[in-house]
């Protein structure tokens, strides 16, 4: 994923490109939907496109899935989760569709297996293994560290965890001794959506008489952001038009 600095370095200045989707409009009169979709939204987005310039996005806009039951080992660079759900957008809790979500790797179980070592991998002073993940990854089965196969019953990994199914984590710029070994079970790769393409802001538009509409009798519409990018700029948001005020 690009950093904010990379976005600033590679981005091109241009008029902000705003797209929208009409959502949750079942049962809404067609004339009201047409009013919002064909007149109000085009007029509003055209105004802001003429008023604002931004560093235009070079990739489709996507929102992060929210991980559930997440954890990490000290050698992990990020949290790993057992499940994931779509984030909610705006004060009315609109759930962002899969089309606009990033992919995510989830696993029902993730464990750190026991391993053993010999030769240069054994630190005689400390009396323990000193495995280098970079060297292990390069040497494979010929390396002086190897998983205990099968895993002992006292280990927190099942017997299916082996040298053939393990994953070596870390190493690289952080140093080979900073990594670790894991096994994963019951995994799934949630597919990445196509995202909002050629846009800098995408808005989910509803027409409802919500509690916010009823609390302020003269309120015609309200909006809020729900996802920001690496530069703290809103890339997804919602607008709700109070139905009674459009009638």
């Amino acid at each position: 994923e690009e950093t904010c600095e990379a976005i600033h370095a590679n981005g091109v200045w241009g008029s902000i490109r705003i797209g929208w989707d009409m959502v949750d409009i079942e049962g809404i009169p067609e004339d009201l939907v047409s009013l919002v979709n064909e007149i109000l939204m085009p007029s509003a987005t055209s105004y802001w496109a003429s008023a604002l310039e931004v560093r235009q996005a070079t990739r489709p806009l996507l929102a992060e899935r929210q991980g559930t039951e997440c954890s990490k080992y000290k050698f992990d660079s990020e949290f790993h989760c057992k499940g994931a759900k779509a984030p909610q957008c705006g004060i009315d809790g609109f759930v962002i569709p899969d089309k606009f979500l990033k992919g995510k790797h989830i696993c029902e179980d993730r464990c750190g297996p026991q391993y053993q070592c010999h030769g240069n991998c054994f630190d005689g002073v400390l009396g323990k293994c000193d495995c280098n993940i970079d060297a292990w990854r390069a040497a494979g089965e010929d390396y002086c560290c190897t998983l205990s196969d099968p895993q002992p019953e006292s280990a927190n990994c099942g017997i299916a965890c082996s040298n053939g199914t393990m994953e070596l984590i870390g190493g690289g710029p952080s140093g080979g001794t900073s990594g670790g070994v894991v096994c994963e079970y019951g995994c799934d790769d949630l597919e990445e959506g196509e995202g909002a393409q050629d846009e800098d802001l995408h808005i989910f538009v509803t027409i409802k008489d919500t509690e916010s509409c009823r609390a302020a009798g003269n309120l015609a519409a309200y909006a809020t952001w729900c996802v920001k990018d690496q530069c703290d700029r809103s890339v997804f948001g919602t607008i709700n038009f109070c139905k009674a005020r459009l009638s």
Side-chain angles (χ1 to χ4, degrees), residues 24-99:
D24 294 346
I25 56 173
E26 295 80 5
I28 304 299
E30 290 185 6
D31 61 329
L32 295 187
V33 175
S34 295
L35 172 64
V36 172
N37 193 40
E38 299 174 13
I39 298 177
L40 298 182
M41 287 302 298
S43 175
T45 56
S46 177
Y47 168 79
W48 287 113
S50 66
L52 288 179
E53 283 196 348
V54 298
R55 292 189 187 273
Q56 294 182 334
T58 58
R59 300 179 181 179
L61 304 181
L62 290 164
E64 293 277 1
R65 298 175 190 266
Q66 295 177 342
T68 58
E69 297 185 75
C70 303
S71 62
K72 63 183 294 189
Y73 289 108
K74 63 180 181 180
F75 50 78
D76 280 323
S77 60
E78 59 185 20
F79 281 89
H80 295 264
C81 306
K82 292 186 176 183
K85 60 182 180 179
Q88 292 187 341
C89 190
I91 60 176
D92 298 321
F94 173 75
V95 178
I96 298 180
D98 289 348
K99 172 184 176 181

Side-chain angles (χ1 to χ4, degrees), residues 15-29:
S15 298
I16 188 170
R17 300 166 298 175
I18 304 175
W20 69 90
D21 276 332
M22 302 295 301
V23 296
D24 294 346
I25 56 173
E26 295 80 5
I28 304 299

